[in-house]
Amino acid sequence: MALSKAQQAVPLLSVSKLTKLFGSFAACNGIDLDIAPGEIHALLGENGAGKSTLVKMLFGVLQPSEGQISFEGRPVTITSPGDARHLGIGMVFQHFSLFEALTVAENIALSLDPKIPLAKIAQEAASLSKAYGLPLDPNAHVADLSVGERQRIEIVRALLQNPKLIILDEPTSVLTPQEADRLFETLFKLRAEGRSVLYISHRLEEVRRICDGATVLRHGKVTGACDPKQETPASLARMMVGAEVAEIHREAGATLGDLRLEVSNLTVPAKTPFAVTLKNVGMKVRTGEILAIAGVAGNGQGELFDALSGEYTVPQDDAIRIRGKSVGRTGINGRRLLGAGFVPEERHGHAAVSGMALSDNLLLARSRSDRKAFLSGGLFSLIRKGAVSSATKRICDVMDVRKSGDDPLAGSLSGGNLQKFIVGRELDRQPSVLIVNQPTWGVDAGAASRIRQALIDLAKAGSAVVVISQDLDEIFEVATNIAVISEGKLSEPHPAGELSLERIGLMMGGIHESHSVPEAASAH
Amino acid sequence: MFEAILLTVITASTPLVIAALGELVTERAGVLNLGVEGMMIMGAVAAFAAAKMTGSPYIGLLGGIAGGALFSLLFGFLTLTLVANQVATGLALTILGLGLSGQLGEPFAGQPGLPLPDIVIPGLSQIPFFGKVLFSQDLTFYLSIALVVGVNWFLFKSRTGLKVRAIGDNHASAHALGISVIRTRYLAVIFGGACAGLAGAQLSLVYTPQWVENMSAGRGWIALALVVFASWRPWRVLAGGYLFGAVTIGQLHAQAFGIAVPSQLLSALPYIATIVVLIIISHNRRTTLINTPASLGKPFVPDR
């Protein structure tokens, strides 16, 4: 395949026959990859395709079993992240490697030239983050920041090392379209300076828009190398998953039935100085309806989910009504017993215990609401192992959860597969009300379309569904009605057909812009 | 009278402050070493033996530091290199230390000690009241104050201290940044051991200048509680150390004056205070996140 000028120069990074074995399992199998100086190169692949393993080898976190990495024409052995940085490779991780107990400036200082005195770094960080158009308060503790703000630190931190090659893992998954545009400007600037970017993304449109070359992985092998600008999203997706990605199927003009979830005048004061106060939130969700709540990270989505799920109860009992019953003061299990189901945002540690088997995770969530099915009666409520494991198997089959072994640890599944399991765990109960926060964050295209289809099917079968999401494409795929949350206030819902992608993006982005101005000002 | 009480409070508080500062650094690096009591008693016996054999209490002090540091190295090897469970290893270290020190110290039991002399600072010690209390003390007192200032500066102002806190917060990320987690933790553990040893030396060279089996008498545990009480901050260790020291001394004086406070209650006070502090800091998720080393006690194995 001709890649114009990109392949004519000596590649900055050249990988040949790179293989990583875990036992007998080849996570990467004979990977070849070339990145030219000044190229934005996309790495595409489903979760579990071997992208993370490849990137970890490039960054010195893992050692290859076989194969050779060359940097600037010379063969190199990268034994640690320090080596990688020394060569000029920078990395922005998908799961942020930030220190929550430290301030923004301290986090940045840890990866800066040790000659700069610590006292100066706060000022330095403020001016540098401003130069990159990523407003940050250097003295804020990371523990108090939103996911989006944390990513800014990661990006600034990697850029500050002045790398020749910068690896970005799913960088735009938490950004607004406007923020993403700003990031792309930064990337184009880096490219103009002759630096290269290895860009990992599931967003095919984005890859087509900004990348000069692409390498596609499937099951640890390269299945395609192409110029993404010459491809269509569908053809890229085909290389990635090996078959056409299932089109989301939704019938127009769904009929809405009874009121299932009613929220009125829900006001929840912020729990920490940096959390968001929910102000007078109201919504009505009927059977057959999917209400999608759009918004930029850190505008009250987490707080809204906590209030709706009962993770934090509210004093006004009738602020939240599920199937006509006031549940404001009822906890999670009480709401579940009324037929509601909840899928929180964080897969690890919130929706699932990584160190426990899938069946245990199933039981943890449903031991109360489905106690008859999973626990025997009597004094000790013994666990009915057979029922739990058959339910686990049923969920994995229905949701196509790919795993090793019958009942592996939740933490051993890839993000997409674990998310399918977590969503499936709730769907298996056929909840009459389902509330999902960020259902497909960091999930590959195949798993995302599976989850979205499942949500649509659930609504069609007569449930009321609330989807809180930052992904506008997702919102338009699934929503019957759309509302926007910003600074703790929820807008009126609009039928999905009456809103354009651009308009919602601007609503969210516009609100965000005005929000970030005082933040930037306080940085001085 | 009041001056005399204050002097005894200082002597009782100094070993708590020193041992707790050492453990604070260890815990800030994410290692929970419950063997403070064992390292302290090893320091006490090593200090006494070194002083007796050389005739110099200062060499005794060095001996105490070395004794505690060497003993902590055993903990480091087991938990950092062999990745043994930190809680179990720490408890074993205490039990081993108490037994081993009794064995090693047997020839020294009942012998007269070599007390560490007071260092009178000219001029300053002439200040009425405070001069005598603060400026004519033995070396360990001055060291304890210098350690508070030094550890606070090191952790919150120096780059190496920043790395220590980073490792304690998230060792996987620190590793990804190229910080040597295991090496830093070894150094933090050894520093903790050296401080515990110094605190032990203070017991056998200053507090009661002789060797008695089990003479640490639970002070290592109080030092551990003190670290939590201080929510991992050096200046609060100083304040808390003196509070706990005052309680210990108050207990003795209360008995002398015939005040009917059960001594058991007073001995329990440091632990009760620690529980109260734990309740207060756990109440607010934010203060917990910012002050508590998140990877405390978790084993680190770099993935390969």
Side-chain angles (χ1 to χ4, degrees):
Chain A
M1 203 156 302
L3 265 182
S4 64
K5 61 186 177 197
Q7 282 192 336
Q8 288 159 19
V10 177
L12 175 73
L13 177 84
S14 177
V15 165
S16 80
K17 303 264 175 295
L18 207 62
T19 299
K20 178 69 187 177
L21 299 169
F22 293 107
S24 61
F25 172 69
C28 284
N29 192 352
I31 305 250
D32 292 316
L33 170 72
D34 281 336
I35 302 176
E39 180 189 0
I40 301 180
H41 193 95
L43 187 59
L44 285 166
E46 284 194 290
N47 279 323
K51 292 176 312 212
S52 307
T53 308
L54 173 60
V55 162
K56 279 183 181 166
M57 287 191 283
L58 295 180
F59 201 56
V61 180
L62 288 175
Q63 299 308 309
S65 311
E66 280 167 45
Q68 182 61 53
I69 302 171
S70 302
F71 198 75
E72 296 182 302
R74 283 176 296 113
V76 289
T77 311
I78 306 172
T79 56
S80 72
D83 276 3
R85 262 191 300 276
H86 191 71
L87 284 172
I89 301 176
M91 169 96 202
V92 175
F93 291 93
Q94 181 186 10
H95 299 292
F96 308 141
S97 58
L98 292 173
F99 303 97
E100 295 207 6
L102 307 184
T103 66
V104 172
E106 286 174 335
N107 267 283
I108 291 173
L110 280 168
S111 46
L112 274 186
D113 184 351
K115 281 178 217 121
I116 304 169
L118 274 183
K120 275 197 181 162
I121 283 179
Q123 307 159 15
E124 197 108 336
S127 63
L128 284 167
S129 68
K130 204 173 153 220
Y132 283 106
L134 303 158
L136 282 172
D137 173 4
N139 295 315
H141 280 97
V142 173
D144 298 323
L145 301 181
S146 70
V147 181
E149 286 168 315
R150 290 178 192 209
Q151 193 190 41
R152 287 184 203 161
I153 309 174
E154 282 276 358
I155 293 173
V156 168
R157 194 163 75 167
L159 293 179
L160 285 174
Q161 290 158 4
N162 202 13
K164 296 187 183 100
L165 171 68
I166 177 163
I167 303 171
L168 296 160
D169 193 0
E170 298 282 344
T172 56
S173 52
V174 290
L175 304 182
T176 56
Q178 287 78 9
E179 283 176 318
D181 284 343
R182 212 183 316 171
L183 172 68
F184 298 156
E185 305 261 315
T186 313
L187 296 184
F188 292 145
K189 200 172 129 204
L190 290 171
R191 175 169 65 183
E193 289 169 3
R195 299 175 210 273
S196 308
V197 176
L198 182 59
Y199 190 91
I200 302 168
S201 180
H202 293 119
R203 297 191 171 182
L204 304 173
E205 278 293 354
E206 206 171 85
V207 166
R208 288 181 61 233
R209 190 172 139 203
I210 67 165
C211 294
D212 310 307
T215 298
V216 188
L217 297 187
R218 186 166 78 236
H219 299 318
K221 288 184 180 155
V222 175
T223 52
C226 59
D227 179 352
K229 293 194 170 73
Q230 308 295 322
E231 304 287 332
T232 63
S235 67
L236 285 173
R238 199 158 45 234
M239 280 188 245
M240 228 163 80
V241 296
E244 295 279 352
V245 175
E247 284 276 315
I248 298 285
H249 184 70
R250 183 158 61 112
E251 281 158 30
T255 47
L256 304 187
D258 301 339
L259 195 57
R260 279 289 160 84
L261 172 72
E262 188 179 8
V263 178
S264 54
N265 289 324
L266 175 69
T267 298
V268 183
K271 297 234 160 23
T272 69
F274 297 89
V276 179
T277 299
L278 294 179
K279 297 162 199 146
N280 259 329
V281 170
M283 65 176 90
K284 286 179 178 162
V285 193
R286 296 165 188 282
T287 59
E289 175 177 0
I290 297 182
L291 174 67
I293 297 178
V296 179
N299 270 289
Q301 289 95 329
E303 289 81 355
L304 178 61
F305 179 84
D306 288 348
L308 292 180
S309 66
E311 203 150 308
Y312 290 106
T313 52
V314 293
Q316 320 90 300
D317 203 30
D318 57 357
I320 303 168
R321 296 164 73 86
I322 292 175
R323 296 169 76 195
K325 290 215 171 58
S326 299
V327 294
R329 287 198 289 266
T330 308
I332 298 179
N333 280 324
R335 297 185 196 192
R336 283 175 159 274
L337 285 168
L338 283 171
F342 310 101
V343 181
E345 177 179 5
E346 301 91 358
R347 284 190 278 279
H348 295 286
H350 201 159
V353 183
S354 311
M356 285 189 169
L358 292 182
S359 61
D360 293 335
N361 273 294
L362 169 71
L363 191 65
L364 279 173
R366 291 173 51 183
S367 62
R368 186 67 198 286
S369 46
D370 300 77
R371 71 176 295 142
K372 283 209 186 104
F374 296 135
L375 299 179
S376 69
L379 192 58
F380 297 110
S381 301
L382 295 177
I383 297 167
R384 296 167 63 176
K385 288 237 161 171
V388 177
S389 61
S390 69
T392 307
K393 186 172 184 312
R394 181 171 71 231
I395 292 166
C396 291
D397 289 347
V398 169
M399 292 303 289
D400 184 27
V401 177
R402 287 169 219 173
K403 55 190 168 53
S404 56
D406 280 344
D407 193 11
L409 297 183
S412 71
L413 264 60
S414 70
N417 281 309
L418 182 57
Q419 187 70 17
K420 283 192 281 190
F421 178 78
I422 291 162
V423 173
R425 181 174 70 184
E426 300 302 322
L427 295 178
D428 185 54
R429 298 179 57 216
Q430 309 218 302
S432 60
V433 175
L434 180 71
I435 293 156
V436 201
N437 193 6
Q438 318 298 350
T440 60
W441 192 80
V443 159
D444 62 283
S449 87
R450 181 117 208 160
I451 289 169
R452 290 169 193 167
Q453 186 63 55
L455 295 174
I456 289 167
D457 293 345
L458 180 73
K460 204 166 80 182
S463 298
V465 181
V466 176
V467 176
I468 304 172
S469 177
Q470 290 160 34
D471 183 336
L472 292 178
D473 296 333
E474 168 169 277
I475 282 177
F476 277 98
E477 273 180 41
V478 301
T480 323
N481 291 309
I482 299 174
V484 175
I485 189 167
S486 69
E487 294 180 351
K489 285 185 228 157
L490 188 68
S491 75
E492 285 292 310
H494 299 278
E498 291 176 14
L499 285 172
S500 68
L501 193 83
E502 285 75 8
R503 193 173 146 211
I504 290 197
L506 285 172
M507 272 165 79
M508 288 160 32
I511 290 156
H512 183 71
E513 284 301 304
S514 68
H515 174 67
S516 67
V517 168
E519 197 182 326
S522 70
H524 296 282
Chain B
M1 174 67 198
F2 186 58
E3 192 184 83
I5 294 179
L6 211 55
L7 284 172
T8 52
V9 168
I10 289 180
T11 316
S13 307
T14 301
L16 300 180
V17 170
I18 295 175
L21 278 173
E23 178 69 9
L24 185 146
V25 171
T26 307
E27 291 192 12
R28 276 281 184 182
V31 183
L32 181 64
N33 185 351
L34 294 181
V36 182
E37 179 85 3
M39 300 185 300
M40 210 175 193
I41 195 78
M42 286 301 283
V45 74
F48 192 86
K52 279 306 261 192
M53 289 191 286
T54 61
S56 160
Y58 288 106
I59 293 181
L61 214 55
L62 290 177
I65 294 173
L70 277 176
F71 204 48
S72 71
L73 207 53
L74 174 65
F75 175 86
F77 178 70
L78 288 170
T79 59
L80 301 176
T81 303
L82 302 182
V83 207
N85 180 298
Q86 292 179 11
V87 170
T89 310
L91 292 174
L93 201 71
T94 288
I95 297 167
L96 176 64
L98 289 172
L100 190 61
S101 64
Q103 186 72 27
L104 294 173
E106 215 180 348
F108 301 100
Q111 289 194 29
L114 279 165
L116 205 62
D118 284 349
I119 300 169
V120 179
I121 297 175
L124 289 173
S125 58
Q126 303 305 314
I127 304 170
F129 189 72
F130 288 111
K132 171 96 177 79
V133 174
L134 294 178
F135 300 108
S136 55
Q137 289 283 356
D138 64 280
L139 181 62
T140 57
F141 168 76
Y142 301 125
L143 279 177
S144 73
I145 304 299
L147 273 171
V148 172
V149 177
V151 166
N152 192 67
W153 176 87
F154 170 76
L155 282 178
F156 298 104
K157 298 279 183 245
S158 82
R159 184 172 292 271
T160 317
L162 176 59
K163 286 183 184 168
V164 169
R165 285 188 288 138
I167 290 170
D169 185 52
N170 185 340
H171 49 217
S173 298
H175 174 68
L177 277 180
I179 302 173
S180 172
V181 174
I182 299 292
R183 201 184 67 191
T184 312
R185 285 194 168 164
Y186 257 108
L187 293 174
V189 164
I190 292 170
F191 179 79
C195 285
L198 177 61
Q202 195 265 7
L203 295 179
S204 65
L205 298 174
V206 179
Y207 200 37
T208 48
Q210 52 182 320
W211 166 252
V212 182
E213 211 180 324
N214 291 341
M215 71 185 298
S216 51
R219 287 187 183 83
W221 296 110
I222 297 188
L224 272 167
L226 184 53
V227 177
V228 180
F229 177 85
S231 54
W232 293 271
R233 298 206 156 246
W235 285 104
R236 295 183 195 164
V237 163
L238 185 67
Y242 276 78
L243 183 68
F244 289 4
V247 168
T248 320
I249 296 301
Q251 180 187 335
L252 298 173
H253 285 277
Q255 277 167 6
F257 284 108
I259 301 169
V261 182
S263 67
Q264 291 89 341
L265 180 69
L266 285 168
S267 336
L269 262 184
Y271 304 106
I272 296 172
T274 302
I275 292 171
V276 170
V277 168
L278 267 179
I279 293 168
I280 294 169
I281 62 170
S282 330
H283 181 69
N284 186 335
R285 188 168 165 270
R286 182 170 179 270
T287 54
T288 313
L289 272 178
I290 290 170
N291 284 316
T292 314
S295 64
L296 184 61
K298 291 182 192 156
F300 174 70
V301 186
D303 69 35
R304 280 279 149 221

